[in-house]
Amino acid sequence: MGKELYSVLEERGHKVVEVIDPFSLDKRVTSKNIEKEAFSNADVVIDFSSPENAVENIKKYMDFSIPAIIGTTGWLDGLDCVKAYGEGKDLRIMYSGNYSIGVALFLKLCRKAGELYGKVAGYDASIYEIHHTEKKDSPSGTALMVASALMETMEGKKKILLGNSEGKIEKDSLQISSMRVGKTPGVHSVIIDSDADTITLTHTARSRAGFALGAVMAAEWIKDTTKRGILTLDDYLNETFGE
């Protein structure tokens, strides 16, 4: 993702002033650690790091008063901690499980599908996702976003069931199944099923370029927005493209 971001930033005329990576030997890396001095010439930071360090990284961006786009997934159990730490601070911190604009629109389709099919008796739904074997979190952040989108509108779905089930599934459960194989960038599918038919909505990422472009577009927006606080991609989309 770092390489994809670097390319998109340059293509859109931005100057990358710092590249922080504790492990990479890439000659473009300027620092191994997050220090305040590294951001002295930066307008915004884009963070695609690791879930283990995400919360502490975000706290540092808050302390440094620098707008931040957080693309790291698998850390949302620490979101309440982040919100508490940022209480009373002048913040522009955005997080999302997926910055692809195509995925953002896919989520809108999932909400609408939940609304329509949830009103008809006999329809059930589930989610499956496939990613590369190096992905650290399971289910993916995007799969959890899809589940939340469905449960917002689909009557009867109240809780998420992760992984393989043992025995019958409760009717109010929305199951997410995950698979890890090869180099797959990411596939997310919603299956809506009844006795009469099956409807499948699928988003397939062909590369990481779409994620990088969305993150850069969000960074361009967050630098100048008047909105403050812990923001999501929807804040950017709603202000830019409308509800």
Side-chain angles (χ1 to χ4, degrees):
M1 276 304 304
K3 293 175 181 177
E4 292 283 359
L5 286 165
Y6 200 102
S7 296
V8 172
L9 285 162
E10 287 198 324
E11 287 170 6
R12 293 176 71 85
H14 300 295
K15 181 180 180 181
V16 180
V17 295
E18 293 287 341
V19 177
I20 301 172
D21 192 318
F23 307 110
S24 177
L25 298 178
D26 192 300
K27 63 181 180 181
R28 291 171 291 188
V29 172
T30 56
S31 178
K32 298 290 185 183
N33 302 299
I34 297 175
E35 304 291 347
K36 187 174 183 178
E37 294 74 18
F39 301 104
S40 58
N41 296 315
D43 294 315
V44 61
V45 59
I46 303 177
D47 184 316
F48 280 77
S49 53
S50 65
E52 295 83 5
N53 301 320
V55 171
E56 291 307 311
N57 289 355
I58 296 169
K59 287 180 178 179
K60 289 181 180 180
Y61 305 142
M62 292 178 177
D63 291 339
F64 302 160
S65 297
I66 186 166
I69 299 298
I70 309 301
T72 306
T73 60
W75 63 274
L76 289 184
D77 55 347
L79 182 58
D80 288 341
C81 175
V82 164
K83 289 181 176 178
Y85 191 82
E87 191 72 32
K89 293 184 172 68
D90 182 27
L91 303 176
R92 281 174 288 171
I93 305 290
M94 180 189 291
Y95 71 94
S96 178
N98 193 312
Y99 279 93
S100 164
I101 302 303
V103 166
L105 298 177
F106 178 68
L107 291 173
K108 290 182 181 294
L109 289 174
C110 293
R111 289 188 187 96
K112 190 63 178 178
E115 176 187 341
L116 294 173
Y117 288 100
K119 293 177 179 178
V120 182
Y123 279 98
D124 195 13
S126 67
I127 299 164
Y128 76 82
E129 54 99 353
I130 308 171
H131 280 85
H132 55 87
T133 54
E134 298 301 313
K135 187 167 180 59
K136 292 185 177 182
D137 56 326
S138 179
S140 69
T142 303
L144 292 172
M145 292 167 68
V146 172
S148 295
L150 268 178
M151 290 195 300
E152 283 178 22
T153 56
M154 192 164 193
E155 296 179 12
K157 292 300 181 184
K158 306 297 183 184
K159 58 187 178 183
I160 296 173
L161 174 65
L162 301 180
N164 295 326
S165 63
E166 295 182 6
K168 295 177 64 176
I169 296 175
E170 296 178 12
K171 288 186 177 181
D172 64 350
S173 294
L174 179 63
Q175 185 177 17
I176 302 177
S177 300
S178 301
M179 182 184 295
R180 298 292 175 261
V181 59
K183 303 294 182 181
T184 308
V187 178
H188 294 88
S189 291
V190 173
I191 302 98
I192 299 174
D193 188 74
S194 74
D195 289 342
D197 49 19
T198 300
I199 301 91
T200 303
L201 300 174
T202 298
H203 178 278
T204 302
R206 292 197 179 98
S207 73
R208 294 180 178 85
F211 310 140
L213 177 59
V216 171
M217 292 170 67
E220 294 167 345
W221 173 81
I222 204 171
K223 181 175 73 71
D224 299 317
T225 185
T226 58
K227 283 185 176 290
R228 292 295 186 271
I230 309 296
L231 309 172
T232 69
L233 188 61
D234 280 343
D235 290 299
Y236 160 63
L237 293 172
N238 292 339
E239 186 171 294
T240 305
F241 303 106
E243 296 286 346

PDB file of all heavy atoms in Angstrom, residues 173-187:
ATOM      1  N   SER A 173     -28.891 -13.859  13.203  1.00  0.00           N
ATOM      2  CA  SER A 173     -27.446 -13.798  12.995  1.00  0.00           C
ATOM      3  C   SER A 173     -27.120 -13.543  11.528  1.00  0.00           C
ATOM      4  O   SER A 173     -27.753 -14.106  10.631  1.00  0.00           O
ATOM      5  CB  SER A 173     -26.777 -15.105  13.432  1.00  0.00           C
ATOM      6  OG  SER A 173     -26.888 -15.289  14.820  1.00  0.00           O
ATOM      7  N   LEU A 174     -26.120 -12.713  11.306  1.00  0.00           N
ATOM      8  CA  LEU A 174     -25.589 -12.464   9.968  1.00  0.00           C
ATOM      9  C   LEU A 174     -24.173 -13.038   9.929  1.00  0.00           C
ATOM     10  O   LEU A 174     -23.273 -12.520  10.588  1.00  0.00           O
ATOM     11  CB  LEU A 174     -25.573 -10.966   9.670  1.00  0.00           C
ATOM     12  CG  LEU A 174     -25.022 -10.535   8.306  1.00  0.00           C
ATOM     13  CD1 LEU A 174     -25.886 -11.097   7.174  1.00  0.00           C
ATOM     14  CD2 LEU A 174     -24.947  -9.023   8.208  1.00  0.00           C
ATOM     15  N   GLN A 175     -23.990 -14.106   9.183  1.00  0.00           N
ATOM     16  CA  GLN A 175     -22.721 -14.815   9.182  1.00  0.00           C
ATOM     17  C   GLN A 175     -21.731 -14.180   8.207  1.00  0.00           C
ATOM     18  O   GLN A 175     -22.077 -13.828   7.081  1.00  0.00           O
ATOM     19  CB  GLN A 175     -22.909 -16.284   8.818  1.00  0.00           C
ATOM     20  CG  GLN A 175     -21.621 -17.112   8.914  1.00  0.00           C
ATOM     21  CD  GLN A 175     -21.858 -18.579   8.614  1.00  0.00           C
ATOM     22  OE1 GLN A 175     -22.882 -18.947   8.036  1.00  0.00           O
ATOM     23  NE2 GLN A 175     -20.927 -19.419   9.012  1.00  0.00           N
ATOM     24  N   ILE A 176     -20.475 -14.054   8.662  1.00  0.00           N
ATOM     25  CA  ILE A 176     -19.357 -13.646   7.799  1.00  0.00           C
ATOM     26  C   ILE A 176     -18.370 -14.802   7.722  1.00  0.00           C
ATOM     27  O   ILE A 176     -17.846 -15.248   8.747  1.00  0.00           O
ATOM     28  CB  ILE A 176     -18.625 -12.402   8.337  1.00  0.00           C
ATOM     29  CG1 ILE A 176     -19.575 -11.228   8.500  1.00  0.00           C
ATOM     30  CG2 ILE A 176     -17.472 -12.031   7.414  1.00  0.00           C
ATOM     31  CD1 ILE A 176     -18.916  -9.992   9.106  1.00  0.00           C
ATOM     32  N   SER A 177     -18.115 -15.290   6.519  1.00  0.00           N
ATOM     33  CA  SER A 177     -17.123 -16.343   6.297  1.00  0.00           C
ATOM     34  C   SER A 177     -15.909 -15.749   5.602  1.00  0.00           C
ATOM     35  O   SER A 177     -16.052 -14.911   4.705  1.00  0.00           O
ATOM     36  CB  SER A 177     -17.708 -17.469   5.438  1.00  0.00           C
ATOM     37  OG  SER A 177     -18.830 -18.052   6.072  1.00  0.00           O
ATOM     38  N   SER A 178     -14.711 -16.164   6.017  1.00  0.00           N
ATOM     39  CA  SER A 178     -13.474 -15.612   5.468  1.00  0.00           C
ATOM     40  C   SER A 178     -12.595 -16.708   4.885  1.00  0.00           C
ATOM     41  O   SER A 178     -12.539 -17.821   5.418  1.00  0.00           O
ATOM     42  CB  SER A 178     -12.688 -14.876   6.563  1.00  0.00           C
ATOM     43  OG  SER A 178     -13.443 -13.825   7.117  1.00  0.00           O
ATOM     44  N   MET A 179     -11.908 -16.384   3.794  1.00  0.00           N
ATOM     45  CA  MET A 179     -10.941 -17.291   3.177  1.00  0.00           C
ATOM     46  C   MET A 179      -9.672 -16.511   2.859  1.00  0.00           C
ATOM     47  O   MET A 179      -9.730 -15.345   2.465  1.00  0.00           O
ATOM     48  CB  MET A 179     -11.516 -17.897   1.893  1.00  0.00           C
ATOM     49  CG  MET A 179     -10.588 -18.896   1.208  1.00  0.00           C
ATOM     50  SD  MET A 179     -11.270 -19.494  -0.373  1.00  0.00           S
ATOM     51  CE  MET A 179     -12.724 -20.362   0.218  1.00  0.00           C
ATOM     52  N   ARG A 180      -8.524 -17.145   3.038  1.00  0.00           N
ATOM     53  CA  ARG A 180      -7.237 -16.534   2.719  1.00  0.00           C
ATOM     54  C   ARG A 180      -6.506 -17.432   1.718  1.00  0.00           C
ATOM     55  O   ARG A 180      -6.260 -18.612   1.997  1.00  0.00           O
ATOM     56  CB  ARG A 180      -6.391 -16.354   3.984  1.00  0.00           C
ATOM     57  CG  ARG A 180      -7.026 -15.426   5.027  1.00  0.00           C
ATOM     58  CD  ARG A 180      -7.057 -13.998   4.538  1.00  0.00           C
ATOM     59  NE  ARG A 180      -7.751 -13.089   5.449  1.00  0.00           N
ATOM     60  CZ  ARG A 180      -9.001 -12.693   5.292  1.00  0.00           C
ATOM     61  NH1 ARG A 180      -9.721 -13.177   4.273  1.00  0.00           N
ATOM     62  NH2 ARG A 180      -9.558 -11.847   6.129  1.00  0.00           N
ATOM     63  N   VAL A 181      -6.173 -16.843   0.550  1.00  0.00           N
ATOM     64  CA  VAL A 181      -5.519 -17.646  -0.480  1.00  0.00           C
ATOM     65  C   VAL A 181      -4.665 -16.752  -1.380  1.00  0.00           C
ATOM     66  O   VAL A 181      -5.089 -15.663  -1.778  1.00  0.00           O
ATOM     67  CB  VAL A 181      -6.560 -18.429  -1.329  1.00  0.00           C
ATOM     68  CG1 VAL A 181      -7.535 -17.490  -2.014  1.00  0.00           C
ATOM     69  CG2 VAL A 181      -5.879 -19.341  -2.344  1.00  0.00           C
ATOM     70  N   GLY A 182      -3.462 -17.197  -1.664  1.00  0.00           N
ATOM     71  CA  GLY A 182      -2.602 -16.560  -2.661  1.00  0.00           C
ATOM     72  C   GLY A 182      -2.407 -15.073  -2.483  1.00  0.00           C
ATOM     73  O   GLY A 182      -2.131 -14.580  -1.397  1.00  0.00           O
ATOM     74  N   LYS A 183      -2.574 -14.340  -3.590  1.00  0.00           N
ATOM     75  CA  LYS A 183      -2.318 -12.899  -3.626  1.00  0.00           C
ATOM     76  C   LYS A 183      -3.591 -12.075  -3.853  1.00  0.00           C
ATOM     77  O   LYS A 183      -3.511 -10.911  -4.245  1.00  0.00           O
ATOM     78  CB  LYS A 183      -1.315 -12.583  -4.743  1.00  0.00           C
ATOM     79  CG  LYS A 183       0.015 -13.314  -4.627  1.00  0.00           C
ATOM     80  CD  LYS A 183       0.781 -12.861  -3.391  1.00  0.00           C
ATOM     81  CE  LYS A 183       2.143 -13.558  -3.316  1.00  0.00           C
ATOM     82  NZ  LYS A 183       2.895 -13.155  -2.098  1.00  0.00           N
ATOM     83  N   THR A 184      -4.745 -12.658  -3.611  1.00  0.00           N
ATOM     84  CA  THR A 184      -6.016 -11.999  -3.889  1.00  0.00           C
ATOM     85  C   THR A 184      -6.118 -10.644  -3.188  1.00  0.00           C
ATOM     86  O   THR A 184      -6.030 -10.580  -1.959  1.00  0.00           O
ATOM     87  CB  THR A 184      -7.194 -12.878  -3.402  1.00  0.00           C
ATOM     88  OG1 THR A 184      -7.049 -14.187  -3.947  1.00  0.00           O
ATOM     89  CG2 THR A 184      -8.519 -12.287  -3.823  1.00  0.00           C
ATOM     90  N   PRO A 185      -6.315  -9.529  -3.924  1.00  0.00           N
ATOM     91  CA  PRO A 185      -6.436  -8.214  -3.290  1.00  0.00           C
ATOM     92  C   PRO A 185      -7.671  -8.084  -2.408  1.00  0.00           C
ATOM     93  O   PRO A 185      -7.651  -7.427  -1.381  1.00  0.00           O
ATOM     94  CB  PRO A 185      -6.512  -7.239  -4.469  1.00  0.00           C
ATOM     95  CG  PRO A 185      -5.937  -7.974  -5.625  1.00  0.00           C
ATOM     96  CD  PRO A 185      -6.283  -9.413  -5.395  1.00  0.00           C
ATOM     97  N   GLY A 186      -8.786  -8.719  -2.816  1.00  0.00           N
ATOM     98  CA  GLY A 186      -9.979  -8.645  -1.974  1.00  0.00           C
ATOM     99  C   GLY A 186     -11.261  -8.877  -2.745  1.00  0.00           C
ATOM    100  O   GLY A 186     -11.507  -8.262  -3.777  1.00  0.00           O
ATOM    101  N   VAL A 187     -12.094  -9.804  -2.266  1.00  0.00           N
ATOM    102  CA  VAL A 187     -13.415 -10.067  -2.825  1.00  0.00           C
ATOM    103  C   VAL A 187     -14.409 -10.065  -1.665  1.00  0.00           C
ATOM    104  O   VAL A 187     -14.176 -10.713  -0.642  1.00  0.00           O
ATOM    105  CB  VAL A 187     -13.477 -11.435  -3.543  1.00  0.00           C
ATOM    106  CG1 VAL A 187     -14.887 -11.689  -4.063  1.00  0.00           C
ATOM    107  CG2 VAL A 187     -12.464 -11.498  -4.673  1.00  0.00           C
TER     108      VAL A 187
END
